[in-house]
Amino acid sequence: FRYTLKGLTHQKKIASTTYMNVTKAREVVQELKTSKELDITISLSPAKSRAVITLGKFFDEQYSPYIQASKRSYKDYNAFFNNHILPLWSNTPMNEITSPMISKKHLSFIQAGRQAASANKFLKILSYAYNLALLWEVDGLVENPVPKVKKFKLQNTMDRYLSKEETQRLLASATLSKSLHMKHIIEF
């Protein structure tokens, strides 16, 4: 049923049609509308609370075997996961790991004196794991929290200029080239 609270329209599922007929649903909605508490949970369907898989169990049973078969650098992924991700969240259900938790860990790399690329690698590997979990429709997981965390900007570019000797060798090679335009391109 739908209701408006503080100017916003909300929708609440009461139960499946297999567990409740239309008349019973109307009665329940009337009770809810008259009561002031709309946050009550209505549970008329049988309890099917399946626990969401923990990150550690997902890593051991699904992620690690998959990357061993599909990635050449799987040893790096496993080592990074074991050293930086599992110590924090091995026993945490995957749907309870939030963007602020991930952001805090991401920032801790920089605070520990590591490079921005290492911190971004943490996001890349964790995001890949979540994307696989979503692809494989892991029970209870509805979103990947990693894309909400902004990557650090990498400033690892390095300018290099040719020495006088290297410049002369390049010009000599361009002059001897079979291409008519090479010399003019290099001189420009």
Side-chain angles (χ1 to χ4, degrees):
F1 79 99
R2 291 189 181 123
Y3 62 95
T4 305
L5 184 65
K6 296 180 183 177
L8 295 173
T9 303
H10 301 275
Q11 186 170 329
K12 187 181 249 338
K13 182 178 179 178
I14 298 172
S16 172
T17 55
T18 56
Y19 300 108
M20 182 186 291
N21 61 25
V22 175
T23 18
K24 180 67 178 167
R26 286 186 181 137
E27 290 172 14
V28 171
V29 168
Q30 281 299 9
E31 287 175 26
L32 283 172
K33 282 185 176 180
T34 56
S35 76
K36 298 284 181 184
E37 294 183 31
L38 290 173
D39 288 335
I40 349 178
T41 326
I42 301 168
S43 177
L44 297 173
S45 56
K48 290 184 182 176
S49 63
R50 292 189 295 202
V52 178
I53 192 170
T54 63
L55 188 60
K57 188 173 181 183
F58 173 75
F59 175 79
D60 291 336
E61 294 177 1
Q62 296 176 14
Y63 180 79
S64 186
Y66 175 77
I67 64 167
Q68 284 180 9
S70 65
K71 292 236 179 243
R72 285 188 299 172
S73 59
Y74 76 92
K75 289 180 182 176
D76 292 338
Y77 276 66
N78 277 347
F80 200 91
F81 223 93
N82 283 318
N83 294 331
H84 300 290
I85 298 171
L86 290 180
L88 288 172
W89 302 313
S90 180
N91 297 321
T92 309
M94 289 183 76
N95 64 337
E96 291 181 15
I97 299 173
T98 62
S99 297
M101 293 165 67
I102 295 168
S103 184
K104 186 177 177 181
K105 175 62 178 169
H106 186 230
L107 183 61
S108 75
F109 278 92
I110 300 298
Q111 291 170 340
R114 294 202 173 92
Q115 295 297 318
S118 295
N120 290 345
K121 184 177 181 179
F122 161 74
L123 294 179
K124 174 187 165 190
I125 290 175
L126 189 59
S127 184
Y128 185 65
Y130 268 94
N131 287 338
L132 288 175
L134 288 170
L135 180 69
W136 297 331
E137 299 176 352
V138 168
D139 289 335
L141 190 63
V142 290
E143 72 170 339
N144 180 352
V146 180
K148 295 176 185 174
V149 179
K150 189 176 178 183
K151 290 181 179 179
F152 292 122
K153 187 176 181 181
L154 300 179
Q155 299 196 7
N156 56 357
T157 58
M158 193 169 150
D159 293 333
R160 182 183 180 289
Y161 299 98
L162 296 178
S163 67
K164 199 171 194 178
E165 286 178 9
E166 290 172 326
T167 307
Q168 290 172 353
R169 284 197 332 247
L170 178 64
L171 287 172
S173 296
T175 306
L176 298 174
S177 173
K178 292 179 183 177
S179 172
L180 299 174
H181 304 290
M182 182 63 73
K183 179 181 177 189
H184 303 293
I185 292 171
I186 297 297
E187 286 178 343
F188 181 69

